[in-house]
Amino acid sequence: MGERTIRTIALTSVAMLCFAANSLLCRLALAPKLIDPATFTSVRVLSAAALLTACVLVGRGHLPRRAYANTRSIAALLGYMAFFSFGYTRLSAGTGALLLIGGVQLTMLYVAWREGERFSLPAWSGLGLALLGVLYLVLPGVSAPDPLSAALMAISGASFGLFSLLARRGSDPVEVNASNLLWCLPPVALVNLCLVDGFIGTPAGFALATASGALATGFGYIVWYLAVRSLTAGQAATVQLSMPAVTALGGVIFLAEPLSLRLLIASAAMIGGIAIVLVQRLKPARPTGA
């Protein structure tokens, strides 16, 4: 295993931990209604943008430049954050995780296929093992979801899948993310103003939203940008299957949720399957005749 592969695996692991932390922070803030979804999203975007803007200003002596922002990345980022916050309030943890990851997987694997990626047999086996782990973890406890919330969460997953694919083209992860987040602020603020009648805000809710933005989002997106440039679309889609397991394990550690044999088996299947895919290279598509 080469140095580049080890670096990619390390960066990917850190990014998944950040994304799992985001889910835990969202659950802590939104489930007990410490803050409303629109305000949570606004504070999350603002704190992430502030952190990355400060990094650019200190490190390079200028504010993030508009040229580094990408309109499609901004739209995808906004869709992911907003739809996730609103969809999550009316879905169980298992249902929400399944719908979110399903949206990510379908979007990224479709693009991977369109780009000519073909899984080798060991990679297909790893993907299948990881998917079985996801299903084993979330399906037994899934109840019929609210149709609107389910649609919002699926759109959130598709948006994050597109954001991850676009991230592979970024040249400077800090300034690119800072610029994208800054340009997310106006539409997020507009949504907040339109829904001001539903405002809920507590000190704890604001603190959780700020941590979600500055730490799990700001830092996490930098690491993910660095990792995803060394991954194919199919690999980038597959590694995200670890999020439900990591989030569930985080719930055991930080939220005192019970540790079950089901959780252990599902986590082992997901992480083991992902490890198989990560060490496999996807075979390029054979050229077709005109």
Side-chain angles (χ1 to χ4, degrees), residues 11 17 23 84 145 155 170 178 247 286:
L11 288 170
L17 287 173
S23 296
F84 177 78
I155 294 171
T247 301
R286 297 179 179 177

Side-chain angles (χ1 to χ4, degrees), residues 33-288:
K33 297 184 178 180
L34 298 176
I35 191 170
D36 67 277
T39 304
F40 181 92
T41 304
S42 295
V43 174
R44 179 183 177 187
V45 173
L46 178 61
S47 56
L51 174 69
L52 296 185
T53 297
C55 290
V56 173
L57 187 60
V58 172
R60 289 148 204 183
H62 61 77
L63 293 172
R65 290 166 287 190
R66 174 65 179 88
Y68 276 78
N70 180 286
T71 303
R72 289 183 295 175
S73 292
I74 294 168
L77 190 59
L78 177 65
Y80 157 65
M81 289 189 177
F83 288 121
F84 177 78
S85 296
F86 283 96
Y88 194 86
T89 58
R90 299 177 67 181
L91 292 172
S92 67
T95 304
L98 179 61
L99 292 167
L100 181 72
I101 295 302
V104 172
Q105 297 303 302
L106 290 175
T107 301
M108 297 187 73
L109 290 177
Y110 172 73
V111 173
W113 186 266
R114 286 289 302 269
E115 291 181 350
E117 295 182 23
R118 298 296 182 266
F119 281 111
S120 63
L121 181 58
W124 274 117
S125 300
L127 177 60
L129 180 62
L131 284 170
L132 285 175
V134 172
L135 294 175
Y136 184 68
L137 177 64
V138 301
L139 278 182
V142 171
S143 58
D146 173 74
L148 177 59
S149 296
L152 293 177
M153 192 61 78
I155 294 171
S156 175
S159 298
F160 191 78
L162 291 173
F163 174 76
S164 296
L165 291 169
L166 292 167
R168 296 180 300 166
R169 304 170 188 172
S171 57
D172 185 332
V174 178
E175 189 159 358
V176 165
N177 274 293
S179 186
N180 284 335
L181 284 163
L182 282 173
W183 283 93
C184 265
L185 283 172
V188 164
L190 180 61
V191 171
N192 224 148
L193 287 173
C194 291
L195 299 175
V196 68
D197 289 342
F199 172 78
I200 300 173
T202 66
F206 279 106
L208 290 167
T210 300
S212 174
L215 300 178
T217 300
F219 177 71
Y221 284 9
I222 293 174
V223 177
W224 182 234
Y225 252 67
L226 293 171
V228 79
R229 288 186 294 180
S230 298
L231 299 172
T232 63
Q235 289 170 326
T238 304
V239 297
Q240 293 180 73
L241 287 168
S242 64
M243 281 192 287
V246 176
T247 301
L249 290 171
V252 171
I253 297 171
F254 298 107
L255 304 178
E257 295 179 351
L259 178 63
S260 65
L261 180 61
R262 183 185 306 278
L263 175 59
L264 292 174
I265 294 174
S267 299
M270 280 185 263
I271 295 172
I274 289 161
I276 293 172
V277 175
L278 274 177
V279 299
Q280 293 291 321
R281 288 190 176 275
L282 296 179
K283 295 181 179 179
R286 297 179 179 177
T288 58

